[in-house]
Amino acid sequence: DLLVSGSHDRSVRVWNRTEEHVYIEEERQKELDLLLEAPENTSGPALDGGAVGGEESAPVAKETKESQDACDRIMEALDRCAQHPDEGSSALQNAILLDMTPDAFFRHTLRKVRSNQLEPALMQLPFDYVTALLTRLESAGKGGADAELMARAALVVVRLHHSRLSTTASALPLLRSLRASTKRALQERCDQAGYNLAALRAIRRRLNDDELTIPSVP
């Protein structure tokens, strides 16, 4: 019922067990809400030691706005893919999915998210979209297309919602399938990279041998 921790700054913290339930997703959502409200509330307490209405809060507000926009684009892409699951069924669907398959359209949307905004955007994704996202990642990652990006997004989502996913019966088969397909796609990319690297080394050795056999001009 009691836990004491020490830190390198010589601080000691005492933790007491209580009956209150703490949900990590809700706490993270509260932190994000505080960041969103910080630029408007100049009289509130400063976050991270900076002035709320000053210059230091501007990058935080900008990044939060960008991550929220990225989250909205991901949810919109999931909705579009769910509403139009068949490829090329109508001219309207081709226009909505930019003349792509649902999986290709989702990969296109995910690639447009900046690398440093991917994790913050996925942190703001409601849990209602998590299963749909993992299903789409499992489908869009087949064939090895954007394998690193698909694996990174899957790892972020599973890490954030591990406790709830592990207690959801319908998510366990999906997680097993996603794990197998992601591992296979990443292994194919590793094999391809190893093959290309071996080919480059062979070419370099060949060039070095040719240089040694070329007679020098007097």
Side-chain angles (χ1 to χ4, degrees):
D1 295 339
L2 181 65
L3 175 65
V4 180
S5 64
S7 180
H8 65 279
D9 60 354
R10 300 181 181 180
S11 62
V12 177
R13 294 179 175 87
V14 179
W15 308 84
N16 293 315
R17 176 180 294 181
T18 63
E19 298 298 329
E20 181 181 0
H21 295 282
V22 177
Y23 298 96
I24 298 178
E25 292 82 3
E26 295 181 359
E27 294 299 324
R28 289 191 177 125
Q29 187 62 42
K30 290 179 181 179
E31 293 179 1
L32 291 172
D33 292 340
L34 289 175
L35 289 176
L36 287 172
E37 297 172 358
E40 300 177 359
N41 184 14
T42 57
S43 61
L47 297 178
D48 296 334
V52 174
E55 297 179 355
E56 295 183 5
S57 64
V60 176
K62 181 180 179 182
E63 292 178 2
T64 305
K65 180 64 167 60
E66 290 177 354
S67 61
Q68 182 62 59
D69 292 341
C71 179
D72 292 340
R73 291 197 300 270
I74 293 174
M75 290 191 294
E76 182 181 1
L78 290 173
D79 290 336
R80 290 189 183 186
C81 294
Q83 294 169 2
H84 305 278
D86 300 326
E87 177 184 357
S89 60
S90 65
L92 177 61
Q93 176 174 340
N94 291 335
I96 291 176
L97 299 182
L98 305 181
D99 201 19
M100 302 179 188
T101 64
D103 290 339
F105 175 75
F106 180 76
R107 290 195 301 268
H108 170 74
T109 303
L110 211 59
R111 283 196 302 268
K112 293 177 66 177
V113 179
R114 294 172 55 186
S115 179
N116 63 335
Q117 293 296 329
L118 180 60
E119 184 169 353
L122 294 176
M123 287 179 61
Q124 302 182 54
L125 191 72
F127 186 76
D128 295 341
Y129 279 85
V130 169
T131 303
L133 174 63
L134 293 176
T135 303
R136 185 57 58 184
L137 288 173
E138 196 270 338
S139 175
K142 292 180 179 178
D146 298 311
E148 296 90 343
L149 180 60
M150 300 295 108
R152 182 188 173 195
L155 286 173
V156 170
V157 173
V158 172
R159 187 178 72 242
L160 290 174
H161 303 282
H162 177 267
S163 58
R164 297 184 66 178
L165 288 172
S166 61
T167 57
T168 304
S170 59
L172 296 180
L174 173 60
L175 291 176
R176 296 190 186 100
S177 176
L178 180 61
R179 178 179 181 272
S181 61
T182 301
K183 184 177 180 180
R184 182 168 54 251
L186 291 176
Q187 185 61 49
E188 291 176 356
R189 294 301 296 271
C190 290
D191 294 342
Q192 182 181 10
Y195 180 84
N196 293 338
L197 184 59
L200 291 174
R201 289 173 177 171
I203 294 173
R204 185 177 63 180
R205 287 195 300 267
R206 180 65 180 272
L207 292 175
N208 292 337
D209 294 341
D210 291 343
E211 291 177 359
L212 292 176
T213 57
I214 296 176
S216 58
V217 179

